[in-house]
Amino acid sequence: AFAEAIQPLYAGGALTAAYDLSKKNEELKELELKNETQIYIFELVSAYLNSIHAQEQLKAAEENLLILK
């Protein structure tokens, strides 16, 4: 038994186009991952800042209660 490999001499640019498409898909996946990471970081920082804001509001409300007593 023997193996035979056949490679076309010219495929009308289909091989190059398929390779280029695979590279573009790889770039797209990397950009999507970066985007998801940035969204996650933004939501995390927003939640942290909202928490600090809520703590400050609570502190101000407690101080107002002490003043009113």
Side-chain angles (χ1 to χ4, degrees), residues 5-69:
I6 299 174
Q7 181 176 357
L9 294 177
Y10 181 68
L15 298 176
T16 304
Y19 177 78
D20 291 344
L21 180 61
S22 71
K23 284 295 185 185
K24 293 297 179 188
N25 281 335
E26 185 178 324
E27 291 174 18
L28 177 62
K29 292 297 179 188
E30 289 176 8
L31 290 173
E32 287 174 344
L33 178 60
K34 285 181 182 180
N35 184 47
E36 290 296 321
T37 302
Q38 289 177 348
I39 290 171
Y40 175 76
I41 291 170
F42 173 77
E43 290 176 351
L44 181 65
V45 170
S46 293
Y48 174 74
L49 293 176
N50 287 339
S51 170
I52 290 181
H53 180 67
Q55 289 174 356
E56 292 297 320
Q57 284 182 321
L58 178 62
K59 183 179 175 183
E62 289 172 342
E63 289 174 359
N64 286 341
L65 279 176
L66 290 175
I67 292 171
L68 293 175
K69 286 185 178 180

